[in-house]
Amino acid sequence: MATKLTVARYPLPRRTNATGVELTFSGSFLQAVANVLDFFPPTLIGEALEAAINLFRIDLLNRYCCPPDDLAKWTNCNWHGQPGSCFDNHCDIGHQVQLTQSEYGLGQTCWPRLERQRVFCCDPAGGKSPFLPVPLENLFPHPPTGKTVDSVYDLRVDNTWGTGQADTPDEQPNEASFGFVVLTSPETLQISLKKRDGTHWEVFNCNDAVSEEEQTVKMFCTDISESSNCHKITLGHGVPGTILEMPEGCGPSKYAVAKSMVPSAAQSLPKHLEKRDYGHKPVIYDLTFDFDWHRVPRDLGDTQMRVDFSNEIGYWDAIVNKAASKKSKRSLEDAGGNHRRWLEEEWREDVHFGRLSHDELHARWFGSDIIAWLKKFFSPEIKPQFTHNIDSSFTAKLIDETWDCNIKGVDLHAKLLAEALAHVKVATSFGLTIITTLKLPLDLSQSYLYFKNKGDISATFILDAFGKAIFQTGDIELLGLQNFPGATFSIPKLLTVGPNFRLFGAVDAEVTLSAHLESKVQIASWEVQQTYPDQGPDWDPKAVSPPDRTGTGSFDGLTQPSFDYSVTATGQITAHLKPTFEFGITFDQIWGVGAAKADVVADGWVRFMGAAGIGSSGNCPFTYGIDVGADLYAKVEAPPAFGWNPRTFPIASISPKSAKPGGSCPAQRKRNTFEISASPQIGTETMNNNRPAHHLLGKRAPTVGPLISLPKSCFFCPGAPVGGAACETIEGWEPNEINQPDLTSKRDLSGDTHYNIFEKRAKKTIDFCQARPASLSAKMQMVSPPYDSSGVIVGKLPNIATYGYTNPTDCNDYGFGLVAKPVPKVNTNKFATEHILEYQLLSIFFDETRNQEGSVFNDLRPSAPGTLPQIVNLCQYLKSYFDLPVPLWPNIGGVTRSPIQWLSYQYPGSDNAFTEEFVILDKGVNNAKEKMWGSDRISADSKMQEYLRGNPEKAAKNVKDVLSAYKYHQFPDVNTILVAQAMRIANMLENLDNNLLPPIHRADSNGNLYSPYRPIGLRNLWMNWIRGRTEAARIKAETHMRDVVSKLQAGYATPELRNSATPQEQEFITRIDSLATAVNAALANPWFNPF
């Protein structure tokens, strides 16, 4: 049985000298970082990530690198665990993989939940299943070498055939699935504690026959004479590590590994043992054991293991029994026809009572010939009549997605449903023998498997779509029964073997469609047998009988295709359903051996294809075709230790069959778009509602899946307007972002009306240093110098520089730079007054630095006599001398202002000396610049998805504005002013910190003096912060441009879409190509951080 892992863990190497790509990091920031994701988005890797990291002071830094070849295996990587609690510190169940964990993942912690860690998770690329086999480890070569050997066996019988009801007499392995295990070792390594094997140990207090964890039982020696064998448990290196054959009920297995044996604190015997005369007063011991096979000594000889597991009729006599058939011994009849009892007695006599030499024992029970073993399965002695069965019907949802669209002003719900109504009926039979020696590395070359399956599979695929989608899921596991009921055999901490049924699905789509489609695939009466290891072509997996393909492609009982003419059908979508029947051999992970499994896969699929219409009458607006097919194949996957030569073997294939030939015109009837989008039932009913859902199954079948939700970037709106709009009218932002200024968050008062409610000379007010809880808050307020809107400032500053698009009417022209000054009441509403250094940065600096520095400062406010000052954060420390009464305000050059206002006045204003630093900037670019420097994403994911799906021209203009803002920072005049403004703030912080604030003597209303202000290095804190913030702004812009351009290309400019594009669509494809070229050119000449 291959164990399905909901979360797989892979070690991610830390920083190495190899050619690994830097993927993420952990550590503790030594400075404030307001929004870590702005500085380190998930897409930031490699040299760009390293450059960003180097801008910060990070303690306990670990850089995690990934080999380039492995990097392609992962996507959508990010840290999980909400900072502050990490209540969600786990990967998304069912489809994500945990690569590493850290207390300081991405520089964020779970404090105060110190017992938790953040985890770094990724999705397997291409939608591949993350349910990887659990690692295995152990099985070894060569027989024991000592003169005397001891052994353990375990026989388990399942005669229910998966039904829970016995079909054959109890304990008759030839009539049921059985598992037989033999362990044999030198007596220095292994002893039996079973009375029937002649031990003088009496074991009692066995109360747990289930748990695989450590257990303790009691025992004493009944014979202390010279003939006693009690001492054998201490042979070798003593009790620890000795293999024990346990009495019935002592643990879940017949064998265990001793951990310790010490005199018990309780020296009283149970009443049923107390009455016996032992000739001495027994000493009672506590025997502790578990199943840690690594503890068995390796220097005292080898432990050999044989495992037999099968449900084949006759396997017992033909394979297992043969080991004891070479000499006359008690017959099966002598054991009352009970195979288990007979085998136990045979093994017991051979091993414990000296009837065979070591070489004879090995030859009889561990000798093997591969070809002879395989041929036995095809002998008349083995009759595959009783098998474990599955007979199940279900609805497998492969994809079930909905998304919102606005088509021509109407809100609609787009959707894509791909599902299969399936019936799976299969019977399986198997036989497995493993012969190995328990030492590392395990040699599993004497592992032989026979696996036979037969059955019938049918599936009706249903596709209900209204929209446009582009994605590839890869194989996704929809259902796993883990094993055929009653058909799994397990040895604690060693291995688990058995058959398993798993259901996979996959959908590949690059299609625009509004239709309801159904088609059928059927593979009936197939039978496949496999034998491993590979012994040449004669033993390759093959079909015992050819499958029956009747019914594939038939529309009997199905709905004919129906379409909506208003949505042109283009591209193709292919849906797969892959019932998989496997026999797995899974070793416990302590052994370090990969899982082995043999599979039979029935891959049924249906493909819809849409293309341009034919004729000019409009009766065939597009053409379509539906192909169906199926492939039946076997494959084996096994680590090298098995020597099974992993391969895939085609068994049978249904060549693509046209259920509807390509080039077909849609029927005259069509679906109503608004009814389609509003219907809550999709894919389970026909369009005319004449037949019930799941009509092929007779009764309502259980539904499985979908287990994945695809990124919203995979889905687009049908008929989304592309091309045609005048370029100068397209805006890449929402109106409230660029046309409705808010003085608490925006700095622009563009336009000619000045919005009336505002003064012509506007001021910007920002609160900062607020925090939760209130005990950490130190709210202060800064007010910018007054400044004029673009409609006014052009009259006051005749030579003001204006930056904008050089040819705004051409969407493919990316010229940007100095342009003619706008004309009041003509086009000043297209521009904004620009400070250059973002005014928001001051408040962000104080908030982030407070968070980074933490509470490490002495409170300067008066404290009660005899008490120490409280420990406060940076904002609380500064508030005592930044938020001063007016009489204490610092005076510079005859001007008195509060410390906060002295910082604000380092920005240009209409009433200070820096007015000439103002410029006028295109308002879309101005907004992009503000978003680059701000704490949030440039565009919210939901808003950008809305643009990409329903108005991609806005998405393209959004990127164009960000690109222009990126280039704007590279103009020498702009860069010079940016640096000058930042340095003025640095100088003022230094002046306040070192000169203006320390001499001030402040008292509260009661005359109690504040503690003197002491410098804390504000200049250095600012310079370090602005350096990092600038780099973060650059990275944020680059990441945003790359991401949106790639999504535009995937949604509107793939090769298939190019081939079927209308002239208007082709115009937009050209625009995407021009945008991609412009972005790549800008990134090839990156913005240099001036700090």
Side-chain angles (χ1 to χ4, degrees):
M1 179 188 71
T3 302
K4 184 180 82 172
L5 303 180
T6 54
V7 177
R9 288 175 172 81
Y10 296 82
L12 188 67
R14 295 187 177 186
R15 181 71 181 268
T16 66
N17 293 325
T19 58
V21 177
E22 196 156 331
L23 190 57
T24 186
F25 72 95
S26 64
S28 179
F29 286 105
L30 298 180
Q31 66 216 71
V33 180
N35 191 332
V36 173
L37 287 177
D38 282 345
F39 293 87
F40 303 100
T43 53
L44 185 66
I45 63 174
E47 294 181 359
L49 174 60
E50 183 165 359
I53 291 174
N54 290 338
L55 298 173
F56 294 87
R57 294 176 297 153
I58 304 176
D59 194 17
L60 306 173
L61 176 63
N62 285 313
R63 306 170 189 251
Y64 298 98
C65 301
C66 189
D69 292 342
D70 288 347
L71 189 63
K73 300 176 182 178
W74 308 109
T75 185
N76 192 30
C77 297
N78 53 69
W79 286 91
H80 287 220
Q82 181 69 32
S85 67
C86 292
F87 69 93
D88 56 344
N89 61 338
H90 59 78
C91 299
D92 293 342
I93 300 300
H95 66 92
Q96 280 202 315
V97 173
Q98 177 178 321
L99 300 190
T100 190
Q101 70 275 339
S102 172
E103 296 93 336
Y104 304 99
L106 207 66
Q108 297 175 302
T109 75
C110 305
W111 190 89
R113 299 305 298 267
L114 301 180
E115 75 278 9
R116 296 175 179 172
Q117 294 185 327
R118 304 193 79 208
V119 297
F120 187 68
C121 306
C122 296
D123 288 331
K128 294 182 179 179
S129 172
F131 303 139
L132 304 178
V134 174
L136 316 130
E137 283 187 38
N138 269 5
L139 287 175
F140 329 123
H142 308 310
T145 56
K147 293 182 180 181
T148 57
V149 295
D150 212 331
S151 65
V152 176
Y153 64 88
D154 188 5
L155 177 66
R156 302 184 187 186
V157 175
D158 168 31
N159 62 345
T160 71
W161 307 101
T163 66
Q165 298 179 353
D167 292 337
T168 59
D170 187 27
E171 295 186 326
Q172 289 195 12
N174 203 46
E175 301 298 328
S177 62
F178 69 90
F180 175 70
V181 182
V182 170
L183 294 180
T184 182
S185 314
E187 66 177 0
T188 54
L189 286 178
Q190 183 171 329
I191 69 161
S192 174
L193 296 179
K194 300 180 72 171
K195 300 297 288 183
R196 294 195 64 193
D197 295 336
T199 181
H200 293 138
W201 285 103
E202 181 75 50
V203 182
F204 61 98
N205 276 18
C206 292
N207 299 318
D208 188 348
V210 177
S211 173
E212 296 184 9
E213 304 305 315
E214 177 183 299
Q215 298 184 36
T216 299
V217 297
K218 297 183 181 299
M219 68 178 191
F220 63 92
C221 184
T222 61
D223 184 352
I224 59 173
S225 68
E226 291 184 0
S227 61
S228 172
N229 56 26
C230 290
H231 67 286
K232 290 187 177 182
I233 196 172
T234 63
L235 295 178
H237 298 311
V239 173
T242 300
I243 298 174
L244 307 172
E245 182 176 358
M246 303 300 295
E248 197 72 26
C250 284
S253 175
K254 296 292 184 182
Y255 42 87
V257 180
K259 188 172 184 179
S260 65
M261 187 179 77
V262 297
S264 176
Q267 288 294 319
S268 58
L269 293 173
K271 291 184 177 180
H272 72 283
L273 297 175
E274 190 178 44
K275 298 177 181 179
R276 301 177 188 176
D277 182 12
Y278 303 107
H280 65 286
K281 181 175 176 55
V283 177
I284 301 173
Y285 294 89
D286 287 337
L287 173 68
T288 300
F289 64 91
D290 57 16
F291 304 94
D292 184 357
W293 299 98
H294 283 324
R295 208 167 50 251
V296 177
R298 304 302 176 203
D299 59 343
L300 300 177
D302 291 333
T303 296
Q304 189 117 11
M305 179 182 76
R306 173 167 177 161
V307 176
D308 289 283
F309 182 50
S310 180
N311 67 348
E312 286 279 18
I313 298 300
Y315 177 93
W316 186 267
D317 292 327
I319 308 298
V320 183
N321 185 349
K322 293 297 182 182
S325 65
K326 295 184 179 180
K327 65 187 183 71
S328 177
K329 300 185 65 175
R330 72 168 55 82
S331 67
L332 184 61
E333 289 73 20
D334 293 337
N338 186 306
H339 288 84
R340 176 180 179 180
R341 188 179 309 143
W342 174 85
L343 189 63
E344 288 180 355
E345 294 300 330
E346 289 294 296
W347 177 253
R348 181 174 289 108
E349 289 192 14
D350 283 352
V351 174
H352 295 293
F353 302 110
R355 298 186 60 173
L356 290 178
S357 69
H358 171 72
D359 292 340
E360 289 175 320
L361 182 76
H362 175 69
R364 288 188 60 193
W365 292 90
F366 297 93
S368 179
D369 177 81
I370 296 174
I371 296 296
W373 188 90
L374 294 174
K375 286 182 177 179
K376 288 188 179 79
F377 282 108
F378 304 104
S379 72
E381 301 174 64
I382 297 180
K383 307 181 293 296
Q385 297 174 0
F386 293 94
T387 56
H388 285 73
N389 304 322
I390 286 179
D391 189 347
S392 180
S393 297
F394 46 82
T395 298
K397 287 193 174 185
L398 308 177
I399 294 293
D400 189 0
E401 298 282 353
T402 62
W403 61 101
D404 295 328
C405 288
N406 185 287
I407 307 298
K408 299 179 181 178
V410 179
D411 291 329
L412 299 173
H413 300 294
K415 64 187 175 183
L416 177 62
L417 172 72
E419 66 179 1
L421 314 181
H423 182 210
V424 175
K425 182 178 181 181
V426 67
T428 186
S429 56
F430 51 86
L432 170 72
T433 291
I434 296 176
I435 299 174
T436 189
T437 303
L438 296 181
K439 67 179 181 182
L440 291 173
L442 287 179
D443 180 357
L444 302 174
S445 59
Q446 294 190 70
S447 300
Y448 314 127
L449 173 66
Y450 166 83
F451 189 37
K452 191 171 186 177
N453 295 274
K454 65 178 181 179
D456 301 274
I457 296 174
S458 63
T460 295
F461 288 89
I462 295 177
L463 176 66
D464 208 346
F466 172 58
K468 178 179 178 181
I470 301 173
F471 60 86
Q472 291 182 325
T473 65
D475 285 350
I476 301 297
E477 185 171 0
L478 300 169
L479 176 68
L481 296 186
Q482 299 304 317
N483 54 72
F484 284 64
T488 298
F489 180 64
S490 179
I491 305 171
K493 299 296 171 50
L494 195 54
L495 85 164
T496 299
V497 297
N500 183 21
F501 169 67
R502 303 168 76 186
L503 180 67
F504 293 91
V507 180
D508 299 336
E510 186 166 324
V511 66
T512 299
L513 180 65
S514 177
H516 179 91
L517 309 171
E518 297 183 9
S519 195
K520 182 189 298 182
V521 175
Q522 186 169 14
I523 313 175
S525 304
W526 54 270
E527 186 172 354
V528 177
Q529 65 184 28
Q530 304 176 69
T531 54
Y532 302 103
D534 182 7
Q535 293 301 310
D538 291 341
W539 304 99
D540 283 351
K542 64 190 67 176
V544 177
S545 59
D548 180 3
R549 303 166 174 84
T550 304
T552 294
S554 169
F555 274 91
D556 291 344
L558 303 185
T559 302
Q560 291 291 325
S562 59
F563 297 89
D564 175 10
Y565 279 15
S566 67
V567 178
T568 299
T570 59
Q572 69 178 32
I573 181 170
T574 304
H576 294 258
L577 190 69
K578 301 180 181 181
T580 300
F581 313 95
E582 67 181 34
F583 190 96
I585 305 171
T586 304
F587 283 87
D588 191 279
Q589 54 187 342
I590 68 171
W591 297 104
V593 177
K597 63 188 182 76
D599 291 347
V600 177
V601 181
D603 178 6
W605 56 268
V606 60
R607 177 181 298 121
F608 167 85
M609 301 157 290
I614 57 178
S616 57
S617 64
N619 293 329
C620 191
F622 55 86
T623 63
Y624 77 100
I626 301 176
D627 288 349
V628 296
D631 297 287
L632 188 66
Y633 58 91
K635 64 178 181 178
V636 61
E637 299 176 5
F642 282 85
W644 281 8
N645 187 21
R647 295 170 62 189
T648 297
F649 304 88
I651 303 297
S653 179
I654 299 177
S655 299
K657 180 178 179 181
S658 293
K660 291 290 183 181
S664 299
C665 291
Q668 289 298 316
R669 57 192 175 89
K670 72 172 188 175
R671 312 200 305 169
N672 183 286
T673 297
F674 300 98
E675 291 179 358
I676 295 168
S677 70
S679 171
Q681 299 295 328
I682 50 179
T684 56
E685 297 183 332
T686 61
M687 292 313 298
N688 54 18
N689 294 321
N690 289 332
R691 291 183 287 114
H694 310 289
H695 41 274
L696 294 180
L697 301 182
K699 62 179 181 179
R700 190 170 185 86
T703 298
V704 296
L707 292 187
I708 64 168
S709 181
L710 294 170
K712 294 303 181 184
S713 58
C714 296
F715 304 103
F716 302 84
C717 294
V722 291
C727 191
E728 65 274 17
T729 66
I730 303 171
E731 292 183 343
W733 314 90
E734 291 301 285
N736 64 344
E737 292 182 287
I738 55 178
N739 290 332
Q740 299 295 327
D742 176 356
L743 288 183
T744 63
S745 62
K746 304 288 292 181
R747 64 196 177 289
D748 174 36
L749 285 179
S750 61
D752 305 308
T753 64
H754 316 302
Y755 299 96
N756 295 324
I757 60 173
F758 299 112
E759 296 180 0
K760 291 183 179 180
R761 289 189 175 182
K763 294 182 180 180
K764 182 176 181 181
T765 302
I766 297 180
D767 293 333
F768 65 101
C769 277
Q770 301 179 90
R772 292 183 179 178
S775 60
L776 299 178
S777 184
K779 178 180 176 181
M780 292 180 277
Q781 189 177 84
M782 61 177 64
V783 180
S784 71
Y787 61 97
D788 296 300
S789 70
S790 58
V792 173
I793 202 169
V794 292
K796 293 186 175 182
L797 299 176
N799 297 321
I800 189 170
T802 301
Y803 291 87
Y805 290 106
T806 56
N807 188 5
T809 61
D810 186 350
C811 291
N812 296 327
D813 190 328
Y814 289 87
F816 183 85
L818 287 170
V819 296
K821 187 174 62 173
V823 179
K825 298 185 179 181
V826 175
N827 64 340
T828 50
N829 64 330
K830 300 289 186 181
F831 294 86
T833 302
E834 154 74 345
H835 286 95
I836 297 183
L837 182 69
E838 289 288 320
Y839 188 71
Q840 61 181 316
L841 292 181
L842 261 180
S843 63
I844 297 174
F845 161 68
F846 286 116
D847 287 338
E848 290 191 354
T849 305
R850 172 201 59 202
N851 296 339
Q852 183 62 48
E853 295 296 313
S855 296
V856 295
F857 302 94
N858 287 332
D859 193 350
L860 300 181
R861 292 174 298 179
S863 55
T867 62
L868 295 175
Q870 295 182 11
I871 303 300
V872 296
N873 59 44
L874 175 79
C875 284
Q876 291 170 318
Y877 178 82
L878 292 177
K879 183 176 175 64
S880 294
Y881 283 85
F882 267 34
D883 196 5
L884 291 169
V886 173
L888 297 180
W889 285 4
N891 184 289
I892 302 176
V895 178
T896 299
R897 293 191 178 105
S898 73
I900 299 172
Q901 288 307 101
W902 277 120
L903 291 172
S904 291
Y905 266 74
Q906 306 314 304
Y907 284 89
S910 56
D911 64 348
N912 68 14
F914 309 121
T915 305
E916 296 298 325
E917 292 180 347
F918 280 123
V919 300
I920 294 178
L921 180 62
D922 176 274
K923 68 178 181 180
V925 178
N926 185 56
N927 192 66
K929 173 176 173 287
E930 179 183 350
K931 298 298 182 93
M932 287 169 56
W933 288 91
S935 297
D936 297 325
R937 294 181 181 275
I938 289 178
S939 290
D941 289 344
S942 59
K943 183 56 63 178
M944 184 52 64
Q945 290 302 332
E946 179 183 319
Y947 291 171
L948 288 167
R949 289 198 210 109
N951 199 340
E953 289 185 311
K954 288 181 72 71
K957 182 57 162 62
N958 177 284
V959 176
K960 188 174 184 178
D961 286 345
V962 174
L963 173 62
S964 300
Y966 186 86
K967 294 191 292 186
Y968 169 73
H969 287 87
Q970 295 177 293
F971 292 127
D973 289 346
V974 173
N975 184 71
T976 298
I977 295 173
L978 178 75
V979 172
Q981 293 174 351
M983 295 308 297
R984 287 203 300 267
I985 290 175
N987 294 336
M988 180 54 67
L989 285 169
E990 182 178 37
N991 195 17
L992 289 168
D993 198 34
N994 295 332
N995 304 316
L996 299 178
L997 299 183
I1000 294 175
H1001 299 286
R1002 182 180 182 182
D1004 63 16
S1005 58
N1006 296 320
N1008 299 312
L1009 290 176
Y1010 281 60
S1011 298
Y1013 179 90
R1014 298 182 184 278
I1016 58 174
L1018 286 176
R1019 178 192 177 91
N1020 288 338
L1021 289 174
W1022 166 259
M1023 290 306 300
N1024 287 332
W1025 183 87
I1026 194 63
R1027 182 185 304 117
R1029 193 68 178 191
T1030 306
E1031 191 66 15
R1034 178 186 67 82
I1035 293 170
K1036 188 196 289 190
E1038 293 174 353
T1039 302
H1040 178 80
M1041 290 188 290
R1042 288 192 187 100
D1043 182 57
V1044 178
V1045 168
S1046 68
K1047 290 175 179 176
L1048 284 168
Q1049 291 171 326
Y1052 299 95
T1054 63
E1056 290 78 6
L1057 294 174
R1058 291 172 186 270
N1059 293 335
S1060 60
T1062 65
Q1064 190 166 302
E1065 290 170 342
Q1066 185 57 55
E1067 185 275 330
F1068 187 63
I1069 291 173
T1070 301
R1071 190 183 309 176
I1072 293 173
D1073 292 341
S1074 299
L1075 179 61
T1077 300
V1079 168
N1080 291 334
L1083 298 183
N1085 182 31
W1087 166 29
F1088 175 74
N1089 187 338
F1091 300 107

